[in-house]
Every structure is written in structure tokens, then in C-alpha cells.
């Protein structure tokens, strides 16, 4: 449901906030608990993202069941860290406790 509730996923000692923003601009918030080292591993483990491995690392095509595929409609999932466009991929971004990570449909 796309409302103000926060869904808690995963198990582990460290938690962070994960936002999913679809192409209409609606957002969903998760609290992710993990013992994984990278955000990518944590989100894969929680089954929140799916993708394929490329030469640049994990290419995310599906987030929380929503597909954004550049080959289909020119959209893609952009990754943000604490509100800023990430300088590294999700699978090379280390988990920081209480950090905020987001995937946002972009064109």
C-alpha cells in the first residue's frame, strides 16, 4: 500500500531507510534490518530489488516488484544516497546505520 506506513524487512543488527519512488512520484518507505556489508546485498537479501550483473556491477531492473527497463520505455532506476544521486552503484555502496537510500524511476 502506498501510504505513510513503514514496512520493516530483513533481519540484522544494522538498520537503514529505503525509499522506492515510482514514475508517478509516489513513495513507499521501508526500514531494512541487515548484517550485510553493502546496500545491494541487503536489498537483494530482503527481495526488494532484482537485476542482472553487468560490467558496471548490478543493473537494477525491478524494485519492490516495479519494473523500470530502459529498453522497454526509456525509464531506469536511479540510486540515491541521503537524497543525492549516488556516485557508486548499489552493490558497491556500503551500508551505513540510519542512512537513507532510494531508488527512483527516472528518464
Amino acid at each position: 500500500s502506498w501510504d505513510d506506513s513503514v514496512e520493516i524487512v530483513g533481519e540484522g543488527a544494522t538498520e537503514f531507510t529505503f525509499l522506492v519512488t515510482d514514475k508517478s512520484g509516489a513513495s513507499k518507505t521501508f526500514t531494512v534490518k541487515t548484517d550485510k556489508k553493502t546496500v545491494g546485498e541487503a536489498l537483494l537479501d530482503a527481495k526488494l530489488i532484482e537485476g542482472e550483473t553487468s560490467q558496471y556491477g548490478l543493473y537494477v531492473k525491478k524494485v519492490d516488484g516495479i519494473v523500470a527497463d530502459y529498453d522497454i520505455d526509456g525509464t531506469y532506476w536511479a540510486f540515491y544516497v541521503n537524497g543525492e544521486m549516488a556516485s557508486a552503484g548499489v552493490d558497491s555502496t556500503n551500508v551505513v546505520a540510519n542512512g537513507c537510500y532510494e531508488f527512483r524511476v527516472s528518464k
Side-chain angles (χ1 to χ4, degrees):
S1 65
W2 294 83
D3 56 25
D4 295 332
S5 65
V6 176
E7 195 174 325
I8 299 171
V9 294
E11 289 179 10
T14 305
E15 59 180 63
F16 62 85
T17 299
F18 178 57
L19 300 174
V20 180
T21 303
D22 71 11
K23 59 185 166 197
S24 76
S27 288
K28 190 169 176 183
T29 306
F30 296 88
T31 295
V32 179
K33 296 176 183 260
T34 191
D35 289 324
K36 302 287 188 193
K37 291 276 177 269
T38 71
V39 179
E41 287 177 303
L43 295 176
L44 284 167
D45 193 51
K47 309 215 174 341
L48 283 171
I49 62 171
E50 290 176 44
E52 53 199 43
T53 306
S54 74
Q55 63 192 45
Y56 304 108
L58 182 69
Y59 177 55
V60 175
K61 288 192 168 180
K62 191 185 278 188
V63 180
D64 191 32
I66 304 164
V67 174
D69 187 337
Y70 195 81
D71 295 331
I72 296 171
D73 61 2
T75 62
Y76 63 95
W77 285 106
F79 180 53
Y80 290 78
V81 176
N82 297 323
E84 303 284 324
M85 181 73 101
S87 54
V90 67
D91 55 342
S92 47
T93 298
N94 288 327
V95 170
V96 175
N98 304 313
C100 182
Y101 306 97
E102 178 183 7
F103 270 109
R104 193 183 298 174
V105 174
S106 300
K107 251 184 142 110

